[in-house]
Amino acid sequence: MYTQAMDLGPKDEGKALKTAEEHQLQERFDARIDAGDFIEAKDWMPQNYRKTLVRQISQHAHSEIVGMLPEGNWIGRAPTLKRKAILLAKVQDEGGHGLYLYAAGETLGTSRDQMLDALHTGRAKYSSIFNYPTLTWADVGVIGWLVDGAAIMNQVPICRCSYAPYARAMVRICREESFHQRQGYEALLTMMKQGTDAQRVMVQDAVNRWWWPSLMMFGPPDAESPNTAQSMRWGIKRVSNDDLRQKFVDATVPQAELLGVSLPDPDLKWNASREHYDFGAIDWSEFWRVVNGHGPCNRERLATRVKAWEDGAWVREAALAHEAKRQAKMKEAA
Amino acid sequence: MSNTTAPKNEWPLWEVFVRNKAGLDHKHCGSLHAADPQMAIQLARDVYTRRQEGTSVWVVRSDQIVASDPGDKDMYFDPMEDKVYRHPTFYALPQEVDHM
């Protein structure tokens, strides 16, 4: 899973750097970025580089965690034991991905509880794709195929992010993620090739509902992403939103043909001169509506998260109390 | 590794090291939060070896790790740069004995 590049970053510090020393540190940092060096947690970095990363990594982590909810919805209703085991493994992976990412975020000096608090109080965003409901079993397959497919497209370039702890987390995530997309496509293929007419209609309906939100996962068009240039300069972002989106469309159209479903875009067609698929205009007003809290499931998702956190409070406290007691006993024995 | 001081109620941070298979060394693979050592080992297994990536796991409290100062990196490691005679390739030998 992935969070879209929403590009809502803090504005670059316009003011002049204060001291000669800071100036020198900045120059050294820029030179390292230019040389393709990785930045590690304890290295000096500009304030805004740190802020941008905390925002992006925590938003990414939140997306993994909230992303468990739409699919978790189907664990108890998966059609076979095999599909249930696969879905359980996938949802467990998403939890793990959230953990890797929170840990990467923590290296920047923000604790996990602080990041979670930002999510639970609505200050932090997560990918708007998870604010759509999973109405049928076909949705689970389509999430694997399209949503995880878009996520992988987005995430592979981040394996080369200049901030090393983030890049390392992404390498691990990408290695695990490819099964997510394949299992989804295979589940759909089974329904399309061996299923009933009703099942095929169900798959097509799910594709119709998820196609446009999947394209929105790559974030607003480049022209409306004022911070992209800075993120590219810093080596945090490697490929622009529009380029990634195009790559995703080009890769997905043949997969849809093989599957035997249509994509809900009358303007979708091969452009021989561009050697890419052209596609129709995206409804960005819907995107912003969902980002700003008015999607079909925003409230439900956040409420579920907050409830899980609050219901778990006594467990967290009890575990700490148990450890304090154990330590006291050890001291006594010593 | 983190330079964060955890708030009072947050479980402490642990670093996880995994041995991929017998014969290899343990390698750092990430971090996690756990209340006690036993839980840290258990979670390390669940989080970092879901695909048989390990045959052995170490965990250590992050605040127990002593690390070199990144600011001293050059001063600390550069003195070895000009000691090329520490490498076998520094010595040119006749071809007949060059496998030495």
Side-chain angles (χ1 to χ4, degrees):
Chain A
M1 295 294 182
Y2 182 61
T3 177
Q4 68 247 328
M6 279 193 291
D7 212 13
L8 303 170
K11 293 282 164 278
D12 193 19
E13 59 242 273
K15 56 182 189 289
L17 289 159
K18 276 178 198 131
T19 64
E21 197 202 343
E22 273 179 337
H23 188 68
Q24 199 187 23
L25 286 167
Q26 174 81 52
E27 268 183 0
R28 213 176 294 162
F29 175 86
D30 290 343
R32 289 183 65 189
I33 295 282
D34 289 341
D37 275 0
F38 284 110
I39 307 298
E40 291 288 349
K42 301 208 169 168
D43 295 343
W44 185 89
M45 61 187 85
Q47 258 324 305
N48 259 33
Y49 178 83
R50 187 184 298 275
K51 260 198 233 163
T52 301
L53 279 167
V54 169
R55 195 194 74 253
Q56 182 173 332
I57 296 172
S58 63
Q59 184 179 294
H60 195 162
H62 300 330
S63 301
E64 302 284 353
I65 299 301
V66 177
M68 296 165 82
L69 301 176
E71 288 182 303
N73 187 29
W74 279 92
I75 290 175
R77 293 178 286 164
T80 65
L81 188 57
K82 177 182 123 181
R83 294 290 172 199
K84 186 187 288 218
I86 292 170
L87 189 55
L88 266 172
K90 180 178 189 302
V91 173
Q92 191 190 17
D93 272 358
E94 309 299 1
H97 296 175
L99 189 148
Y100 308 154
L101 288 162
Y102 284 124
E106 282 179 296
T107 64
L108 292 158
T110 306
S111 79
R112 187 167 75 185
D113 280 5
Q114 284 173 314
M115 290 186 259
L116 286 174
D117 186 60
L119 172 67
H120 296 158
T121 54
R123 279 177 291 132
K125 303 279 185 204
Y126 54 88
S127 182
S128 56
I129 193 87
F130 304 120
N131 291 318
Y132 291 88
T134 40
L135 301 180
T136 70
W137 171 250
D139 287 40
V140 175
V142 171
I143 286 180
W145 174 38
L146 295 181
V147 176
D148 287 300
I152 292 168
M153 208 61 104
N154 251 326
Q155 288 178 148
V156 167
I158 311 177
C159 295
R160 292 180 290 121
C161 172
S162 63
Y163 187 59
Y166 191 24
R168 285 194 289 267
M170 288 322 303
V171 168
R172 188 175 288 278
I173 290 174
C174 286
R175 204 163 44 208
E176 298 181 349
E177 194 89 50
S178 119
F179 123 70
H180 296 183
Q181 189 184 16
R182 291 173 68 95
Q183 65 82 32
Y185 192 79
E186 194 225 28
L188 297 177
L189 209 53
T190 304
M191 279 187 272
M192 292 303 289
K193 304 296 173 197
Q194 298 163 35
T196 62
D197 283 345
Q199 285 171 322
R200 279 186 281 275
V201 168
M202 191 167 84
V203 171
Q204 183 62 60
D205 169 64
V207 170
N208 292 348
R209 282 182 288 109
W210 288 94
W211 173 248
W212 290 107
S214 297
L215 292 191
M216 292 176 198
M217 283 177 72
F218 296 93
D222 294 347
E224 288 159 42
S225 303
N227 295 317
T228 290
Q230 180 63 78
S231 276
M232 292 243 189
R233 171 70 189 84
W234 276 332
I236 295 173
K237 198 183 180 100
R238 297 289 185 185
V239 188
S240 82
N241 295 355
D242 285 335
D243 287 351
L244 284 169
R245 190 167 11 245
Q246 182 69 61
K247 208 173 157 201
F248 175 73
V249 172
D250 291 347
T252 307
V253 172
Q255 295 166 359
E257 282 166 10
L258 188 73
L259 198 56
V261 293
S262 63
L263 297 171
D265 179 358
D267 298 326
L268 187 70
K269 60 171 184 296
W270 180 251
N271 181 326
S273 65
R274 283 201 318 130
E275 300 204 313
H276 287 295
Y277 284 93
D278 289 336
F279 53 94
I282 294 171
D283 178 6
W284 290 108
S285 64
E286 174 183 329
F287 172 78
W288 288 112
R289 202 161 55 238
V290 180
V291 166
N292 291 323
H294 307 293
C297 300
N298 293 56
R299 270 185 220 174
E300 186 192 327
R301 298 285 185 244
L302 200 57
T304 308
R305 261 310 305 163
V306 171
K307 183 176 185 308
W309 177 252
E310 286 173 355
D311 288 354
W314 73 271
V315 179
R316 293 191 297 276
E317 282 163 28
L320 281 177
H322 173 73
E323 172 61 3
K325 213 189 250 178
R326 193 187 67 91
Q327 296 232 357
K329 259 190 206 153
M330 267 173 41
K331 230 179 242 168
E332 240 171 70
Chain B
M1 228 180 300
S2 167
N3 44 15
T4 312
T5 36
K8 271 197 195 104
N9 292 324
E10 199 167 19
W11 288 352
L13 196 64
W14 303 72
E15 300 304 319
V16 180
F17 301 81
V18 171
R19 185 203 296 282
N20 282 143
K21 57 180 183 188
L24 298 180
D25 43 13
H26 285 77
K27 208 176 145 203
H28 181 246
C29 69
S31 333
L32 52 79
H33 288 271
D36 61 63
Q38 211 186 339
M39 186 196 279
I41 285 280
Q42 182 77 45
L43 293 181
R45 188 203 66 156
D46 292 347
V47 174
Y48 290 105
T49 65
R50 286 198 301 281
R51 291 172 176 79
Q52 290 192 295
E53 292 96 333
T55 57
S56 163
V57 187
W58 288 349
V59 293
V60 59
R61 281 275 298 254
S62 306
D63 57 12
Q64 296 293 309
I65 288 185
V66 183
S68 63
D69 184 342
D72 292 344
K73 183 163 73 77
D74 297 347
M75 182 180 86
Y76 216 64
F77 298 106
D78 283 359
M80 308 309 153
E81 201 177 36
D82 58 2
K83 295 177 179 56
V84 284
Y85 48 84
R86 286 181 170 167
H87 295 278
T89 45
F90 178 71
Y91 304 91
L93 297 183
Q95 204 181 347
E96 296 90 313
V97 293
D98 204 22
H99 61 275
M100 190 184 288

